[in-house]
């Protein structure tokens, strides 16, 4: 891709392009779909790296058979790979939004608060593998977890991120509604400009007024769908009409009012004539993020950054029915073996007997040259190329992206296809990435087991999330030398452990 063209693409779309390429691999989709097709919803969740933190028998004993029947029906329709596909993510890496509790469905019970099926993401320090968990939230208001399961830092379902009103984003039986709910048949929605997040004068019907700097390029608002989605939101809250808010950024909210001549006409939304008090704004229903913004897949298709064949099959089928999906381009051809200029000739480097070797050199010559290198002599260009591939291959970004999104099997498959299953990793960026991914899985295991609820080495800021006993730790040890552990970056680890490091303390 040309440099000037890449600069014209928003960083947000480039992030979503990487997410769609690596976050939900084809192997996960195939395995989860196969288990769901035979009714094994628990196996489908395991294939999509989703833990189940409840027992249906315990739920039946507590809430009765009728609720368990409805819950089991939703679990059988749940497509966990589709849920992972549509989960909220954060920049710049596109990881799952950490510490989030997101509602999937609500069930009326005998109590005042309905039982909710929720999906949770671990905190950022324990997000190795990008695992999620299914749980039931009973509205107790406490952070206590179910017996045998770890406590969550934010157990209450988030009002901004909720999918109970958007079943087409996780329910396989409702996935066909995606094109209609995301407005795939219409033109891209641009956010009209205005002067403030809460305007003091009404705009055109159905066209809310948004800030100047929040345009369609920086923040893709699905303004054309706000009225219809707000009607569903208010109806779920038991309000036929009324005001609601849209979160514009961390400081501002747009307060809008849903109005319609009567029930037979399409609803419209308009800004309130008078700005309400901040306390009233905080109490209003919040339009979910899935309804407020344009679907990332639709943006990628319109920008030509992805083809329908690279999308989730359920998403591609829904968008293809609306005519929004594009035809795939030419398939990529497999690359040739590595070619290196060695002693005036072009030699090949390829896999032989499970290892990467220089096939144009005699094995006896290669062993002799390797012995000379071990004794300090210069290496052949072919051996230097093999050593460089083992330490920092060209496929390292792809391996790093797969490890970042928890696809360890995919990352190892790339390494084996490049170096061979019999290769021995050498010191370098590739080995450091694999070792770091393995070490981070320990933190996730400690979090899941409940043995560690606070980030290791956290100070006062993290102590507020945990048990509160870590207050003042950072202040007391701020002047001490940083501790070397498995989370220390490789560059800093080499710098601090090097014997050749200058002793600046002697010059004071």
């Amino acid at each position: 891709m040309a440099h000037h063209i890449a600069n014209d693409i928003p960083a947000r779309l480039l992030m979503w392009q990487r997410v769609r390429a690596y976050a939900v691999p084809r192997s996960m989709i195939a395995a989860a779909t196969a288990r769901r097709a035979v009714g094994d919803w628990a196996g489908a969740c395991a294939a999509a790296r989703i833990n189940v933190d409840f027992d249906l028998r315990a739920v039946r004993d507590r809430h009765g058979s009728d609720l368990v029947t409805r819950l089991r029906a939703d679990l059988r329709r749940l497509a966990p790979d589709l849920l992972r596909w549509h989960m909220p993510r954060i920049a710049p890496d596109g990881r799952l939004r950490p510490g989030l509790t997101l509602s999937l469905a609500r069930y009326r019970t005998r109590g005042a608060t309905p039982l909710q099926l929720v999906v949770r993401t671990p905190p950022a320090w324990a997000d190795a593998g990008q695992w999620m968990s299914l749980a039931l939230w009973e509205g107790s208001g406490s952070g206590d977890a179910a017996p045998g399961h770890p406590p969550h830092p934010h157990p209450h379902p988030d009002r901004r991120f909720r999918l109970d009103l958007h079943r087409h984003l996780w329910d396989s039986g409702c996935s066909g509604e995606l094109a209609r709910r995301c407005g795939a048949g219409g033109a891209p929605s641009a956010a009209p400009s205005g002067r403030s997040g809460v305007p003091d004068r009404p705009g055109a019907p159905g066209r809310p007024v948004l800030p100047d700097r929040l345009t369609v390029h920086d923040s893709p608002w699905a303004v054309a769908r706000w009225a219809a989605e707000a009607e569903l939101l208010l109806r779920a809250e038991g309000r036929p009409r009324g005001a609601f808010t849209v979160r514009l950024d961390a400081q501002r909210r747009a307060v809008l009012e849903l109005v319609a001549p009567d029930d037979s006409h399409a609803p419209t939304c308009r800004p309130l004539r008078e700005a309400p008090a901040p306390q009233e704004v905080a109490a209003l229903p919040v339009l979910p993020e899935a309804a407020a913004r344009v679907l990332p897949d639709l943006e990628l298709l319109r920008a030509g950054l992805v083809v329908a064949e690279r999308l989730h099959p359920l998403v591609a089928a829904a968008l293809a029915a609306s005519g929004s999906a594009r035809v795939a381009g030419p398939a990529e051809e497999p690359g040739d073996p590595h070619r290196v200029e060695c002693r005036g000739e072009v030699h090949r480097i390829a896999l032989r007997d499970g290892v990467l070797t220089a096939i144009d050199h005699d094995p006896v010559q290669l062993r002799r040259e390797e012995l000379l290198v071990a004794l300090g002599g210069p290496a052949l260009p072919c051996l230097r190329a093999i050593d460089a591939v083992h330490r920092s291959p060209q496929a390292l970004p792809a391996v790093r992206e797969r490890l970042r999104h928890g696809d360890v099997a995919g990352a190892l498959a790339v390494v084996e296809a490049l170096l061979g299953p019999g290769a021995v990793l050498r010191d370098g960026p590739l080995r450091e990435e694999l070792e770091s991914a393995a070490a981070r899985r320990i933190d996730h295991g400690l979090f899941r087991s409940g043995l560690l609820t606070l980030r290791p080495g956290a100070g006062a800021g993290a102590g507020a999330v945990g048990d509160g006993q870590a207050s003042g730790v950072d202040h007391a040890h701020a002047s001490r030398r940083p501790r070397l552990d498995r989370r220390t970056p490789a560059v800093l680890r080499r710098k601090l452990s090097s014997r050749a490091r200058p002793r600046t303390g002697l010059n004071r």
Side-chain angles (χ1 to χ4, degrees), residues 203-208 223-227 259 267-271:
R207 304 295 294 179
V223 183
R225 293 291 307 164
W226 282 7
V259 294
T268 59
C269 56
R270 66 186 182 191

Side-chain angles (χ1 to χ4, degrees), residues 145-431:
H149 299 291
H152 196 267
H154 304 286
H156 193 286
D158 197 293
R159 294 200 305 160
R160 177 186 169 198
F161 300 100
R162 52 185 295 187
L163 296 182
D164 57 316
L165 303 178
H166 301 81
R167 295 182 67 100
H168 57 282
L169 300 182
W170 61 268
D171 190 333
S172 59
C174 302
S175 61
E177 302 176 3
L178 176 66
R180 178 181 61 84
R181 292 291 298 273
C182 72
S189 299
S193 60
R195 293 179 300 176
S196 63
V198 184
D200 56 359
R201 57 184 178 85
R207 304 295 294 179
V209 180
L210 298 179
D212 289 329
R213 66 185 183 90
L214 293 178
T215 62
V216 68
H217 302 290
D218 297 329
S219 197
W221 304 106
V223 183
R225 293 291 307 164
W226 282 7
E229 296 293 339
E231 186 179 25
L232 297 176
L233 171 66
L234 295 177
R235 188 181 302 168
E237 298 290 337
R239 307 178 184 184
R241 295 290 183 269
F244 64 97
T245 63
V246 180
R247 184 184 184 275
L248 303 179
D249 52 34
Q251 287 80 27
R252 291 179 295 174
R253 309 289 187 272
V255 183
L256 306 173
E257 181 183 12
L258 183 69
V259 294
D262 51 54
D263 294 337
S264 62
H265 291 73
T268 59
C269 56
R270 66 186 182 191
L272 291 180
R273 298 181 181 274
E274 298 181 0
Q279 296 83 357
E280 298 177 0
V281 173
L284 292 176
V286 180
L287 191 68
E289 198 76 2
R293 298 182 183 272
V294 178
L295 184 72
D297 299 317
L298 198 58
E299 286 190 282
L300 293 175
L301 288 172
R302 289 169 175 171
L305 298 178
V306 72
V307 294
E309 285 74 10
R310 303 300 302 172
L311 297 177
H312 191 284
L314 295 177
V315 175
L319 296 181
S322 65
S324 301
R326 296 189 177 185
V327 182
E332 297 182 1
E333 299 180 358
D336 295 332
H338 299 279
R339 297 182 183 273
V340 180
E341 186 175 352
C342 180
R343 294 180 176 178
E345 299 178 356
V346 177
H347 290 174
R348 298 169 297 168
I349 298 176
L351 293 176
R352 291 293 184 271
D353 299 328
V355 295
L356 195 65
T357 183
I359 61 178
D360 291 328
H361 287 277
D362 185 76
V364 177
Q365 180 189 10
L366 289 178
R367 287 195 294 270
R368 184 170 62 249
E369 294 292 338
E370 290 175 353
L371 179 60
L372 290 176
V373 173
L375 295 176
L380 285 174
C382 289
L383 295 182
R384 288 201 302 266
I386 293 176
D387 183 71
V389 170
H390 277 76
R391 297 181 189 276
S392 182
Q394 293 182 356
L396 181 59
V399 174
R400 185 180 289 115
E401 287 287 344
R402 285 176 169 84
L403 293 176
R404 184 176 295 148
H405 292 288
D407 185 15
V408 178
L412 294 179
V414 173
V415 174
E416 289 185 0
L418 180 65
L419 305 179
V424 178
L425 293 181
R426 306 169 188 180
D427 292 337
L430 177 60
R431 181 170 181 172

